[in-house]
Amino acid sequence: MTARLLPWLFVLVMAVGPLWLGDQYILYVLTSTGIFIIGAMSLNLLLGYTGQLSLGHIAFFGIGAYTSALLSLGFDLDLGGAEPFVLGPQPVWVAFLGGILVAALFGFLIGKLAFRVRGAYFVIVTISFAQVMRMVALNWVDLTEGPMALNNIPPLSVWLPWDGVIPLYRKEYNYLLVLAVAVVCFLVIQRLVQSRVGRALVALRENESLARSVGIDVTRYLVVATVIAAGMAGAAGGLYTHYIRIVDPDVFMFIYTVTMVIMVVTGGKGTLAGPIVGGLAFGILPEVLREVARPEVQWIIYGVAMIVVVFFLPQGIVPAVRNWFAGRRKRVAATALGLRKETSA
Amino acid sequence: MSLALDESAAPILEVREVAVHFSGLIAIASMSFAVPEGEIVSLIGPNGAGKTTAFNVITGFLKPTGGRVLFRGTDLTRLSSNRIAGLGVVRTFQRTSIFAGCTVFDNVLTGMHRQGRAETWGALLRLASVRAETGRMRAAAAEILAFVGLSHRAGELAGNLAYGEQRLLGIAIALAADPKLLLLDEPAAGLNPSETEAFMGVVQRIRDRGVTILLVEHDMRMVMTISDRVVVLNHGRIIAEGPPEVIRANPDVIQAYLGQGVKHAKG
């Protein structure tokens, strides 16, 4: 019972706490961390459950960000035909959904590819994919403005009974929106991994030959997982683009993928709570350190903390905590049993 | 080797002139045999005779260089391994093969994949049909664990089981896939005599459930006790085929296993 209520209590605290604190800086940190946590959750679906390491995951994030930005701003596309293709500005939510769809489409292609090339080759292909995306964003100046970045991206809007449709400029609203999307993504992943589909994904991670021998179409389920993960990363990118309201080719930088991998691995890959715990720890840590240490020292502490976690808790924080509790329960049960034996003897 | 069967039972599996060459190396020259429905058929032969290769061909893990494999008239050589499993041809592996990071119960549940229908949308929306299906599958998984005698280990991580229990779990996973034809690749390898004894009981009870069994095994006592028919492979060719008592007396088989020296020993 408590195990069921605990996540919702956590959501409630996260929804009310920061607003109650009312500190704009804390809200900003939590919002950007939350966006990355959504990315990390989607990466966890691939890395943690299907066991495929995609080191180009930020590509889906960036594709979602750029697509959503371009659709909401409108663009014209000159592909050398007689008439350039012109699209006017679209409503922000249409743009947001468009970002998810295009990211999911690229997820489909990468998922198909993942079965031709596996292991180290897949890792290299995904890194290259993200780099190619960065080059496209940098050089297709007509469409993306290149290094000049896309500016003045409209924020997402929401309908409120007391205000009507309002654009979400305020940090509080953006924060709650990110939290809501994170909750939806969490529920989608939870339902998926606890279903027949999720068992097929884990089977692929644990033992691919055995999975095939019992009739699991591993190719298909890997593609399903990649499409969903890419769509979620695209949603995170859309949230980012309409929150920061500027997007440049640097969203495709490798360091962001690494950040998500760190969040997943330290929190506990293949666990539902892992990316959230790891994300909160390593998303907020730099901001906490900024208060107490010089910049150079900050990154040293960050790196040391990461190594310590990976070294002492190789499974990640969440499995370690879970094992500790399970071990304690066993010890308590054993002591109780021992007492009973003593009294009966 | 003739395909004709003296028994009345119709073959569930027919291997016809299958050949496997690995770039010049001939693993199987030309192999033909049939497995009658409802029987336990053993495939034996010295190491390197091509038994596991034959398993890989039948279950689609390896494409043969030539020949056909017919399961109830369907040619399996064109199908992917998961499709073949879907038809009811399920194998176990020579090396212990389980989902080590999952619980014993989830291992069996995963094996039941083909019997479920729930897909992504059903799972996301938690449709009533999906929940009902989950309930049915959990009950069936518990029944399979009881059948192989692993119920008491259901909640344990599969990787923590003892070796003999892992071998049993491997069979449970294969059974969960609802096989019509079960291919067991050295199921008793590494087991002690009492475990082997228990294992033979399990294999016979699986046959009694109406599952045809093709067995590769080195434990001759097990092969001779439980088989209805034995096929002997040597150097990629079938050298003998028949009931255990006939095979035991076949001079070619004795020679393949023990070499020429046996004649002198006997004489």
Side-chain angles (χ1 to χ4, degrees):
Chain A
M1 196 61 203
T2 42
R4 277 198 161 195
L5 284 178
L6 213 60
W8 291 108
L9 193 71
F10 175 75
V11 170
L12 191 71
V13 169
M14 289 313 283
V16 178
L19 299 185
W20 178 70
L21 280 173
D23 185 318
Q24 294 289 302
Y25 178 66
I26 291 178
L27 274 177
Y28 165 77
V29 170
L30 284 177
T31 306
S32 32
T33 302
I35 290 171
F36 265 97
I37 287 178
I38 295 171
M41 288 197 300
S42 73
L43 177 67
N44 185 37
L45 187 60
L46 283 182
L47 176 59
Y49 288 95
T50 71
Q52 307 298 308
L53 176 59
S54 148
L55 278 187
H57 204 64
I58 199 65
F60 303 123
F61 182 97
I63 289 167
Y66 262 101
T67 307
S68 193
L70 284 170
L71 286 174
S72 63
L73 290 168
F75 60 91
D76 49 315
L77 198 58
D78 190 356
L79 291 173
E83 286 286 307
F85 173 77
V86 180
L87 189 82
Q90 302 296 311
V92 273
W93 283 102
V94 172
F96 181 70
L97 289 178
I100 295 175
L101 282 178
V102 173
L105 183 72
F106 275 94
F108 176 80
L109 296 176
I110 289 291
K112 282 276 181 199
L113 193 68
F115 247 85
R116 301 259 168 266
V117 287
R118 299 293 284 279
Y121 302 101
F122 178 66
V123 174
I124 292 169
V125 166
T126 52
I127 294 176
S128 315
F129 171 59
Q131 283 306 310
V132 167
M133 284 298 145
R134 196 167 102 88
M135 288 301 148
V136 170
L138 203 56
N139 292 304
W140 198 350
V141 180
D142 287 347
L143 185 69
T144 64
E145 301 291 335
M148 281 84 79
L150 288 169
N151 294 303
N152 286 322
I153 300 163
L156 287 163
S157 59
V158 74
W159 181 85
L160 294 172
W162 54 89
D163 279 340
V165 175
I166 55 155
L168 294 176
Y169 287 107
R170 297 188 50 173
K171 287 203 166 50
E172 289 86 344
Y173 290 144
N174 271 294
Y175 171 70
L176 287 176
L177 183 68
V178 168
L179 184 64
V181 173
V183 169
V184 169
C185 289
F186 181 88
L187 289 175
V188 165
I189 293 173
Q190 183 189 37
R191 290 187 167 195
L192 198 68
V193 301
Q194 289 173 355
S195 74
R196 173 173 171 270
V197 179
R199 281 194 298 276
L201 297 179
V202 173
L204 165 62
R205 176 191 76 195
E206 289 290 320
N207 191 335
E208 187 179 334
S209 298
L210 182 59
R212 276 163 46 199
S213 81
V214 295
I216 296 173
D217 187 348
V218 275
T219 320
R220 212 189 107 161
Y221 287 101
L222 183 59
V223 171
V224 166
T226 326
V227 166
I228 293 175
M232 274 179 194
L239 287 173
Y240 168 86
T241 215
H242 292 287
Y243 174 60
I244 307 287
R245 300 186 50 221
I246 175 169
V247 58
D248 67 16
D250 279 356
V251 291
F252 289 109
M253 284 213 309
F254 185 58
I255 185 69
Y256 294 126
T257 302
V258 174
T259 307
M260 291 195 283
V261 172
I262 289 170
M263 289 174 168
V264 172
V265 171
T266 54
K269 62 182 197 292
T271 63
L272 286 168
I276 301 168
V277 172
L280 282 176
F282 283 89
I284 295 171
L285 189 64
E287 307 299 335
V288 176
L289 290 178
R290 187 172 299 179
E291 312 273 319
V292 295
R294 296 222 315 263
E296 314 84 71
V297 184
Q298 282 171 31
W299 289 109
I300 293 172
I301 297 176
Y302 188 88
V304 168
M306 209 170 71
I307 292 168
V308 165
V309 169
V310 171
F311 195 79
F312 288 103
L313 312 170
Q315 300 291 312
I317 299 168
V318 170
V321 170
R322 191 191 289 150
N323 287 343
W324 187 77
F325 271 107
R328 209 174 65 143
R329 211 173 297 140
K330 253 184 205 163
R331 257 175 279 133
V332 170
T335 331
L337 202 69
L339 283 177
R340 214 176 303 143
K341 268 187 187 157
E342 271 171 31
T343 45
S344 64
Chain B
M1 202 46 52
S2 90
L3 286 174
L5 290 163
D6 32 67
E7 272 93 350
S8 55
I12 188 170
L13 183 82
E14 274 184 76
V15 175
R16 283 191 191 163
E17 291 164 6
V18 162
V20 178
H21 301 183
F22 296 114
S23 58
L25 179 78
I26 298 172
I28 297 178
S30 174
M31 178 174 62
S32 299
F33 66 93
V35 179
E37 181 135 25
E39 292 194 355
I40 297 177
V41 175
S42 290
L43 194 58
I44 64 168
N47 282 327
K51 301 172 307 251
T52 298
T53 307
F55 263 33
N56 286 339
V57 168
I58 295 169
T59 51
F61 281 80
L62 189 68
K63 295 290 162 218
T65 317
R68 300 211 294 163
V69 176
L70 297 176
F71 173 73
R72 289 183 172 160
T74 310
D75 189 357
L76 299 183
T77 52
R78 294 165 196 284
L79 301 179
S80 61
S81 49
N82 53 288
R83 290 277 306 280
I84 292 172
L87 292 174
V89 180
V90 182
R91 70 174 299 178
T92 64
F93 293 83
Q94 196 173 74
R95 285 176 52 199
T96 307
S97 201
I98 52 174
F99 303 115
C102 306
T103 65
V104 169
F105 191 78
D106 278 348
N107 267 264
V108 179
L109 217 47
T110 306
M112 296 182 71
H113 182 83
R114 274 275 164 183
Q115 295 172 60
R117 286 276 142 310
E119 285 301 338
T120 310
W121 288 113
L124 293 184
L125 301 172
R126 288 230 169 116
L127 301 176
S129 61
V130 170
R131 276 175 303 179
E133 178 186 291
T134 308
R136 272 201 309 279
M137 282 171 65
R138 295 186 76 86
E143 195 263 331
I144 289 169
L145 275 184
F147 180 81
V148 298
L150 282 176
S151 297
H152 60 294
R153 305 290 263 161
E156 191 71 51
L157 276 187
N160 294 346
L161 294 187
Y163 179 77
E165 290 175 320
Q166 291 190 351
R167 303 294 305 188
L168 273 178
L169 181 58
I171 300 247
I173 295 168
L175 275 184
D178 193 24
K180 309 281 180 295
L181 173 66
L182 180 61
L183 295 91
L184 302 173
D185 198 352
E186 296 192 22
L191 297 185
N192 65 37
S194 72
E195 284 173 327
T196 306
E197 194 72 35
F199 223 98
M200 278 162 51
V202 170
V203 172
Q204 277 167 328
R205 280 188 289 133
I206 293 170
R207 192 260 314 267
D208 294 343
R209 282 164 72 130
V211 179
T212 309
I213 291 168
L214 181 60
L215 177 74
V216 162
E217 184 51 64
H218 279 302
D219 186 323
M220 278 307 127
R221 208 175 56 85
M222 178 170 177
V223 168
M224 294 304 171
T225 312
I226 67 174
S227 306
D228 296 302
R229 170 182 291 274
V230 179
V231 177
V232 189
L233 264 180
N234 193 21
H235 296 306
R237 287 185 184 282
I238 289 170
I239 58 168
E241 184 178 359
E245 51 279 13
V246 175
I247 294 299
R248 200 174 304 169
N250 187 313
D252 288 342
V253 176
I254 295 169
Q255 189 187 329
Y257 265 88
L258 301 174
Q260 295 281 3
V262 71
K263 279 180 188 160
H264 305 297
K266 269 186 177 172

